[in-house]
Amino acid sequence: MRLSLRFIAPLLVLLAAFAWALTPFVDRQILGWFVRDLDIRARFVANTVQEPVRELVEAGDVTRVRQYFARLTSDERLFAVGYCRPGGGAPITSPLWPSDLGCDRLPALDDPGGRNLASPHGALHVSVAPVTLSDGTTGTLVLVHDMSFIDRRSAETRKYIFYLFTLLGIVVSLITVAIAQLSWRGWVNGLRALMRGEGLLRPANKDTPELTPVARDLRELIRNIETAHRSRAEEHVAWTPESLHEMLEGPLRGQQVIVVSNRQPYIHEREHGAVVVRRPASGLVTALEPIMRACSGVWIAHGNGSADRSVVDRRDRVSVPPESPSYQIRRIWMTPEEEAGYYYGFANEGLWPLCHIAHVRPTFRTTDWEAYVKINQRFADAVVEEATSSDPIVLVQDFHLALAPRMIRNALPAATIITFWHIPWPNPEAFAICPWRTELLDGLLGSTVMGFHTQFHCNNFFDTVDRLLEARVDREMFTVSFQSSLTTVKRYPISIEWPTPAALISAPIAACRATVRERHDLPAEHAIGVGVDRLDYTKGIEERFRAVERLLELRPEWIGRFSFIQLAAPTRTRIEQYQDYEARVRALARRINDRFAGATHPPIILAIAHHPPSAVYEYYRAAELCFVSSLHDGMNLVAKEFVAARDDERSVLVLSRFTGAARELPEALIVNPYDADQCALALHLALTMPDSEQRDRMQLMRALIREFSVYRWAGRMLVDATDLRRRERVPERQGFLA
Ligand code: GDG
């Protein structure tokens, strides 16, 4: 409306001024026309009455002349008639003759225009005509017309002009408003399209040529931003929460970002009657939270806390972080049966062992699958409900939600869906044992981008799709084309926060060493190795203990001088395989400790509990080595956390070659966890490594983690999402070029 007023107000002012200026001109014009009419009429009347007037005048009967004149003035226009004798003197007149009009004040006989006269009766028009008498002299017939009707007409005309201009104003305003609204909408749509990247690559936009200069400027701007971001991504410039923020304020400004994961970033628990908020220690939350904070997005996750339901609003939402709310968690609820089927059953007893080569058979049950489908649909429906536009950016996390991308795609075809698979992808033979293999692949191929930690996992995914689906796999372009949609399959190695939060590394190394040794009753010079894991059979904890045992066999000088401390967080404890695994790990630790019972200090210290993050970092900083012996691991963040914790650039990482991390940290001592001798040798090497070599290795690994932090992981996915969104909007030229 304001926009319309901007057009209408000046228009109305202009029209009013124009009408104002036009009125005197119209008045003058009307007067001119009427005066001309009166002159013509006067000439006509004069010609008609000339003969009778001449006869009456020559008869010398003044009374009859007056009576004749009085009759003539019965015409409403003719105000008065008079006759001036050739010799002058008082005129013979009709009754209403203006008293101040004498024969000496008449217009000249040769003046065809007559003269206007003001009188107490109003405006009058005086015209004259000669009356030639038989003696050859010429008298003057004077016709006085009433001009007051002209004033009346003028007033009427002014009124009509006013009506006309008012009507004109209304009509022109309506047309202007309509045109203004249409063109404004066109402009705004055009600009929006340009900002989304549409038409930016066309040399000239035929439909909206006026946007061409804007498109040029925008192209320039995008190029600059892209160069900055690409250099950040490709030239190893550090990504930070601030650069993620910049990205969301720049190319992705105004775009809605929705994260979908099984695990939530904040859990509300009821403790002793009060509600407490917990933040799970998770790399995923660390990486995605800056994005959520920057764009006030929505994070959809399973509400599994005991007080989760009591803090949400009508739409199952709660604002977080509690100290400064900046985004929302939308909680998904499930019954214990649904959770048992979807989470414990299909995800953790089916997909988890299916994707990890750990020699644990996957279990597939139809009821679990049905719960998995149902819950995936519930997550997808929540995405659709939360979407405020037709094309949000949706970040789907992990193997719990393999079907959600296709479900979201079906409801929101223009969405940009980035799915990240946090665990390994197996080879086609292994994957093919899943009874719902094609459904899972179809679900994942609803994604715009499918991300894995390593190129090896991407290649396995390509092979699986190639083998099991009627799809076109283009390994050169990293794409899979399936059912007329394209999925880009790329590697995005996850990482950790850099720098490490100060609170986790504030205690000096010497203090950590002393505290940990004191806690376990170990002497100050006792060597310590550390392992930190969820108590999961993929982590190779048994192999790790066997390697320690082998070290003591091969290098007995370490008996009583070296202990391996294993922090193990209980996980998925409802699943039988996990219960068995814990029992086996406990028994093995006991057996090895019994075997070396004669030593002053036990070789294995097993601490099965959820340890606070500060305690985990204290152990990292106290140890001579960290041993990660996963049998198969997508990435393994413990390896990176350990390196980041060692700001003294000492200590050694012994790392399984079957982790994604091994591809990024070749300076670690890379081992095969199944080869106990090799692992034992690596432990010995680590315990005897000179300080300078420790420093060299640590420096290289720390430099890598600094550059390739978790912010880069999230940032690169967003950069690619931005590129793909723009590319999708470039007009399809294939047909044109063919
Ligand atoms: C999956 C993939 C991939 C462990 N015990 C405690 C504790 N932790 C923390 C560690 C670390 C995290 O848990 C474990 O991360 P990982 O990466 O090692 O393994 P998964 O949990 O299996 O994660 C894996 C990851 O997703 C990310 O994509 O790397 O390959 O399997 O942060 O510190 N933390 C605390 N107490 C413990 O007792 N506080």
Side-chain angles (χ1 to χ4, degrees):
M1 191 60 208
R2 240 195 237 165
L3 172 77
S4 307
L5 274 179
R6 234 183 281 161
F7 285 97
I8 294 171
L11 186 87
L12 290 180
V13 169
L14 214 75
L15 276 177
F18 191 58
W20 184 263
L22 197 66
T23 310
F25 171 75
V26 172
D27 270 357
R28 247 194 330 274
Q29 201 60 30
I30 288 174
L31 184 69
W33 289 335
F34 279 116
V35 167
R36 220 170 24 248
D37 277 0
L38 286 178
D39 283 337
I40 293 165
R41 179 185 159 89
R43 269 199 297 283
F44 173 72
V45 173
N47 285 343
T48 314
V49 304
Q50 195 163 45
E51 201 48 41
V53 169
R54 188 173 57 77
E55 280 170 14
L56 288 170
V57 168
E58 281 181 344
D61 190 342
V62 173
T63 311
R64 283 193 58 205
V65 174
R66 279 203 186 106
Q67 282 168 350
Y68 182 63
F69 281 174
R71 263 203 317 280
L72 284 177
T73 56
S74 60
D75 175 332
E76 64 161 320
R77 296 271 169 84
L78 204 52
F79 182 76
V81 180
Y83 176 73
C84 288
R85 296 182 186 86
I92 308 167
T93 66
S94 63
L96 286 175
W97 182 264
S99 53
D100 56 343
L101 183 60
C103 291
D104 53 342
R105 288 191 60 204
L106 297 177
L109 271 175
D110 51 0
D111 177 359
R115 174 181 297 166
N116 295 341
L117 189 73
S119 87
H121 304 282
L124 300 172
H125 182 74
V126 181
S127 40
V128 293
V131 178
T132 309
L133 303 175
S134 13
D135 60 1
T137 59
T138 306
T140 307
L141 178 66
V142 185
L143 298 168
V144 180
H145 275 96
D146 182 3
M147 292 216 310
S148 64
F149 78 97
I150 297 178
D151 285 344
R152 280 198 305 279
R153 293 278 160 83
S154 271
E156 263 170 41
T157 310
R158 268 197 296 274
K159 199 163 72 190
Y160 288 131
I161 288 178
F162 173 76
Y163 290 151
L164 177 75
F165 272 87
T166 308
L167 187 73
L168 206 67
I170 292 171
V171 172
V172 174
S173 298
L174 287 178
I175 295 173
T176 310
V177 168
I179 293 175
Q181 290 293 347
L182 284 177
S183 355
W184 183 247
R185 210 169 294 163
W187 254 80
V188 170
N189 287 343
L191 277 176
R192 275 201 188 131
L194 283 182
M195 289 173 84
R196 285 197 305 262
E198 290 164 23
L200 273 178
L201 297 188
R202 285 183 225 181
N205 194 328
K206 263 195 258 152
D207 305 331
T208 45
E210 66 277 16
L211 290 180
T212 309
V214 184
R216 203 179 307 126
D217 291 352
L218 213 57
R219 236 181 347 246
E220 186 66 21
L221 186 70
I222 288 171
R223 226 188 333 265
N224 290 344
I225 293 171
E226 271 183 358
T227 313
H229 284 285
R230 197 149 286 136
S231 60
R232 205 191 296 284
E234 284 163 12
E235 290 164 24
H236 305 193
V237 178
W239 279 84
T240 59
E242 291 72 37
S243 51
L244 273 178
H245 194 278
E246 246 173 61
M247 165 106 212
L248 291 152
E249 283 294 306
L252 287 176
R253 194 183 174 79
Q255 310 292 317
Q256 191 193 16
V257 180
I258 301 176
V259 170
V260 196
S261 70
N262 178 68
R263 190 190 302 189
Q264 49 180 347
Y266 291 89
I267 307 172
H268 290 83
E269 299 277 11
R270 192 166 299 282
E271 274 181 14
H272 312 297
V275 175
V276 292
V277 189
R278 288 197 198 296
R279 190 167 187 254
S282 146
L284 186 91
V285 175
T286 309
L288 298 178
E289 194 165 57
I291 300 179
M292 288 285 100
R293 283 178 193 250
C295 67
S296 308
V298 184
W299 189 317
I300 300 172
H302 174 205
N304 60 340
S306 54
D308 277 350
R309 278 182 199 264
S310 61
V311 296
V312 294
D313 64 12
R314 280 187 301 115
R315 298 176 56 201
D316 299 327
R317 288 161 143 232
V318 60
S319 294
V320 287
E323 61 283 3
S324 59
S326 52
Y327 69 96
Q328 307 252 304
I329 299 179
R330 158 78 187 268
R331 285 181 169 144
I332 298 292
W333 313 116
M334 46 190 97
T335 63
E337 296 73 40
E338 286 171 340
E339 191 183 1
Y342 144 81
Y343 179 75
Y344 289 104
F346 194 77
N348 286 322
E349 283 190 271
L351 288 179
W352 178 266
L354 178 76
C355 292
H356 288 92
I357 306 170
H359 314 287
V360 172
R361 282 185 185 163
T363 306
F364 292 112
R365 303 179 197 93
T366 304
T367 46
D368 291 349
W369 168 251
E370 284 163 358
Y372 188 80
V373 174
K374 190 170 164 192
I375 298 297
N376 268 253
Q377 187 64 60
R378 196 169 295 166
F379 274 94
D381 291 346
V383 171
V384 178
E385 275 168 37
E386 296 298 336
T388 52
S389 68
S390 60
D391 60 350
I393 296 173
V394 187
L395 301 172
V396 180
Q397 301 301 315
D398 227 351
F399 61 101
H400 313 95
L401 296 166
L403 303 177
R406 171 69 61 206
M407 293 165 172
I408 298 167
R409 168 76 60 228
N410 288 342
L412 297 170
T416 300
I417 304 170
I418 304 173
T419 303
F420 192 78
W421 195 259
H422 288 259
I423 62 175
W425 188 273
N427 64 39
E429 291 76 19
F431 187 76
I433 66 172
C434 175
W436 296 281
R437 55 196 172 272
T438 48
E439 286 87 340
L440 289 169
L441 289 175
D442 174 56
L444 289 170
L445 289 174
S447 316
T448 320
V449 175
M450 181 72 213
F452 295 97
H453 290 302
T454 69
Q455 191 55 46
F456 187 67
H457 301 154
C458 295
N459 294 344
N460 275 350
F461 184 75
F462 282 135
D463 291 344
T464 311
V465 171
D466 220 1
R467 190 80 61 85
L468 302 179
L469 289 185
E470 287 292 322
R472 198 159 61 84
V473 172
D474 187 336
R475 288 164 203 263
E476 217 170 295
M477 299 300 291
F478 309 109
T479 56
V480 173
S481 174
F482 180 59
Q483 289 175 354
S484 75
S485 73
L486 204 67
T487 302
T488 299
V489 180
K490 280 183 82 169
R491 143 184 188 270
Y492 301 96
I494 202 168
S495 191
I496 55 165
E497 260 180 289
W498 187 281
T500 304
L504 295 176
I505 49 171
S506 56
I509 294 278
C512 295
R513 287 178 63 88
T515 315
V516 166
R517 281 165 179 77
E518 235 169 73
R519 184 176 302 141
H520 295 286
D521 215 8
L522 302 171
E525 293 313 310
H526 195 80
I528 287 178
V530 69
V532 179
D533 306 80
R534 286 184 303 100
L535 194 38
D536 193 294
Y537 52 79
T538 60
K539 301 295 180 184
I541 300 174
E542 289 174 288
E543 285 69 12
R544 201 173 302 175
F545 290 177
R546 280 194 205 107
V548 173
E549 184 181 26
R550 188 74 183 128
L551 168 75
L552 303 184
E553 285 169 9
L554 294 175
R555 296 282 176 171
E557 66 266 32
W558 289 113
I559 298 172
R561 287 180 53 223
F562 169 72
S563 296
F564 190 84
I565 304 178
Q566 176 65 48
L567 307 186
T571 181
R572 306 169 192 172
T573 46
R574 284 171 52 170
I575 299 174
E576 212 182 301
Q577 284 150 340
Y578 284 79
Q579 295 162 5
D580 293 349
Y581 188 64
E582 181 179 335
R584 286 207 308 273
V585 167
R586 282 184 189 277
L588 181 60
R590 223 173 11 246
R591 185 185 65 70
I592 296 172
N593 284 342
D594 286 351
R595 179 176 170 190
F596 296 96
T600 40
H601 303 285
I604 308 278
I605 297 172
L606 176 60
I608 298 182
H610 283 287
H611 301 85
S614 54
V616 171
Y617 274 75
E618 192 177 50
Y619 281 94
Y620 286 149
R621 285 163 75 74
E624 268 68 35
L625 65 90
C626 174
F627 189 8
V628 174
S629 55
S630 307
L631 304 181
H632 205 188
D633 218 334
M635 173 55 70
N636 192 283
L637 294 178
V638 170
K640 293 187 173 180
E641 287 169 1
F642 170 68
V643 170
R646 296 312 297 244
D647 50 0
D648 62 336
E649 298 174 350
R650 293 292 188 285
S651 197
V652 181
L653 174 65
V654 181
L655 180 60
S656 158
R657 54 184 290 202
F658 304 122
T659 59
R663 290 164 201 255
E664 291 185 84
L665 302 172
E667 297 80 16
L669 298 181
I670 305 294
V671 295
N672 173 357
Y674 294 95
D675 184 342
D677 282 15
Q678 187 198 43
C679 290
L681 189 66
L683 292 176
H684 177 69
L685 214 62
L687 291 168
T688 53
M689 189 179 282
D691 281 0
S692 59
E693 188 179 342
Q694 291 182 29
R695 184 184 305 115
D696 289 348
R697 289 175 183 267
M698 267 296 170
Q699 278 178 350
L700 287 165
M701 293 192 285
R702 287 172 63 80
L704 180 119
I705 297 170
R706 180 168 47 236
E707 289 173 12
F708 292 73
S709 70
V710 75
Y711 305 114
R712 185 180 191 271
W713 173 73
R716 282 223 27 224
M717 284 195 277
L718 288 179
V719 166
D720 286 350
T722 318
D723 284 355
L724 285 167
R725 276 163 96 83
R726 289 195 45 226
R727 213 166 294 153
E728 268 168 23
R729 281 159 189 152
V730 172
E732 183 59 75
R733 290 288 195 209
Q734 286 339 57
F736 172 74
L737 293 172

